[in-house]
Amino acid sequence: MAAETGFVAGIDLGATKILAAVFDRGMKVRAQAKVKTPGSGSADQVLAAILSALDIALAELDLKRSDLEGLGVAVPSPVNRRKGIVLSTPNMGMKDFPLRDRLAGLSGLPVALENDVQAGTLGELRGGALRGKKYAAAFFVGTGIGGGLVLDGRLYRGSTGSAGELGHMILQDGGALCGCGRRGCLEALASRTAMARDAVAAAASGKAPILLDHAGTDFRKYRSSAFARSVESGEKAIERIVERSAYWLGVGAANVTAVLNPEAVLLGGGMVARFPDLYKDIAFRSLKDHLMPALGGTVELLITKLGDLAVPLGAAWASRDLAAGRESAAAREVTGAREDMDGQEAAE
Ligand SMILES: [Zn+2]
């Protein structure tokens, strides 16, 4: 029997963990592995950790790197996809860092580079809750709030590649301070960081003893699992904080619907994956309440289908598209066409 071929891998390089997943020709996930992101701030150590996560996942399938057709890597930073450069992830020692070429040199594989949220949107579009949608917006709720836009069935990237910063729509002028330095952004109202800020205050004032016991008053320990434990134990003050996040996402979804007239708005990211029903109910109600009447009934609200795998799947698809772009560029060379091909823009 001939050995199976057509594998690609996708990597989600996160601030705290690196998730590697191997997909078969049909883009079905076959193996995955997680390692901690080195806290050293050294790019070399991050590169080594990426390869170690990849090798662990490959070993599960008895594969070697050379059995892969390509590798996609998604990073929490704006990227220059054409040049394969990570613009800035200071805590990983990558500023204007040529991650694509460095990783290609170390792995011996063609590498596609993506921003993580855009990869997540692409993953949901090709193999998740947005499959078959032509017009959609996606919000990913984590430490911050990332966004992605799908227009005419393709990921929309904007003039400089940074379209879809849905977390930085200002919804409350003069409101809470945002990581971007302005006030009242959706991210400052509805991200896990915003929820942690409010939950620490609730815990410190005695309204959430279970959360206080579990996570103390260090907001960095307020991960989605801590929120889940608290809410499941019946701590209403914390449940209301999560509900408020869903409410503000509904407001953001109504704004983006007014601008883009999408068929669907997707909610994803760790907090949403922990509280899918709560986010679906409250965000959808809020979306309807804030939508301009003429748009009523035009948009549905969807919850992530892929969870953690959305980003690796999108990165793996970017790698597939890169290969397809190379093939079509080669074909054009044969026919003498002169288009300037950026393989990475192919076939979204
Ligand atoms: Zn902001």
Side-chain angles (χ1 to χ4, degrees):
M1 198 180 80
E4 191 179 346
T5 60
F7 290 101
V8 289
I11 310 269
D12 178 6
L13 171 56
T16 55
K17 66 173 198 298
I18 297 168
L19 176 60
V22 180
F23 299 88
D24 61 20
R25 190 177 289 283
M27 295 310 262
K28 192 167 166 293
V29 64
R30 296 285 292 274
Q32 47 184 312
K34 214 184 265 187
V35 304
K36 272 196 156 164
T37 307
S40 59
S42 141
D44 283 340
Q45 286 183 12
V46 172
L47 283 165
I50 289 173
L51 291 171
S52 127
L54 175 64
D55 290 343
I56 296 168
L58 286 170
E60 252 184 68
L61 301 170
D62 274 329
L63 295 175
K64 304 182 297 292
R65 291 179 199 163
S66 57
D67 293 320
L68 293 174
E69 290 191 349
L71 175 63
V73 59
V75 298
S77 155
V79 298
N80 181 326
R81 293 164 66 246
R82 184 182 282 270
K83 293 182 177 160
I85 287 172
V86 175
L87 297 182
S88 175
T89 54
N91 48 353
M92 297 179 197
M94 294 184 188
K95 184 159 171 42
D96 299 324
F97 184 77
L99 179 62
R100 181 188 66 197
D101 292 349
R102 288 290 303 280
L103 203 53
L106 290 168
S107 66
L109 292 167
V111 174
L113 179 66
E114 271 291 349
N115 162 266
D116 58 358
V117 180
Q118 295 196 336
T121 305
L122 186 61
E124 293 283 356
L125 176 64
R126 298 274 180 86
L130 293 178
R131 202 161 177 179
K133 301 294 180 208
K134 288 190 78 176
Y135 298 93
F139 293 84
F140 293 90
V141 184
T143 316
I145 291 184
L149 300 173
V150 175
L151 297 183
D152 209 16
R154 297 163 56 105
L155 207 58
Y156 174 72
R157 297 181 187 277
S159 63
T160 64
S162 61
E165 286 286 4
L166 304 180
H168 298 285
M169 288 189 278
I170 293 177
L171 300 189
Q172 199 179 49
D173 195 20
L177 189 62
C178 183
C180 74
R182 302 175 306 155
R183 287 186 174 276
C185 295
L186 173 61
E187 179 169 305
L189 300 164
S191 65
R192 198 185 71 228
T193 309
M195 284 182 255
R197 177 196 62 215
D198 296 342
V200 166
S205 62
K207 289 179 193 144
I210 291 165
L211 186 59
L212 184 67
D213 191 44
H214 177 66
T217 53
D218 179 359
F219 78 97
R220 283 167 299 193
K221 291 195 178 140
Y222 280 51
R223 319 233 9 125
S224 54
S225 54
F227 278 95
R229 183 182 298 199
S230 165
V231 171
E232 279 156 21
S233 319
E235 295 190 325
K236 291 288 171 207
I238 304 305
E239 188 171 354
R240 277 197 296 277
I241 288 169
V242 182
E243 288 173 357
R244 205 149 56 232
S245 159
Y247 167 88
W248 281 115
L249 281 161
V251 179
N255 283 345
V256 84
T257 299
V259 176
L260 292 176
N261 183 209
E263 305 155 73
V265 173
L266 171 100
L267 303 183
M271 283 307 283
V272 174
R274 285 280 175 178
F275 298 98
D277 298 336
L278 184 155
Y279 271 96
K280 186 162 176 70
D281 292 350
I282 302 214
F284 191 51
R285 200 182 317 146
S286 169
L287 166 61
K288 283 195 291 187
D289 288 348
H290 293 91
L291 201 57
M292 56 183 293
L295 290 168
T298 62
V299 63
E300 60 180 324
L301 188 105
L302 302 170
I303 300 293
T304 174
K305 252 191 191 161
L306 298 170
D308 276 356
L309 274 177
V311 175
L313 178 62
W317 267 115
S319 151
R320 277 250 188 277
D321 291 350
L322 184 66
R326 272 197 309 273
E327 274 161 32
S328 61
R332 262 198 307 279
E333 238 164 67
V334 171
T335 58
R338 294 192 324 129
E339 244 173 288
D340 179 23
M341 182 69 197
D342 175 2
Q344 294 184 54
E345 300 296 338
E348 237 138 58

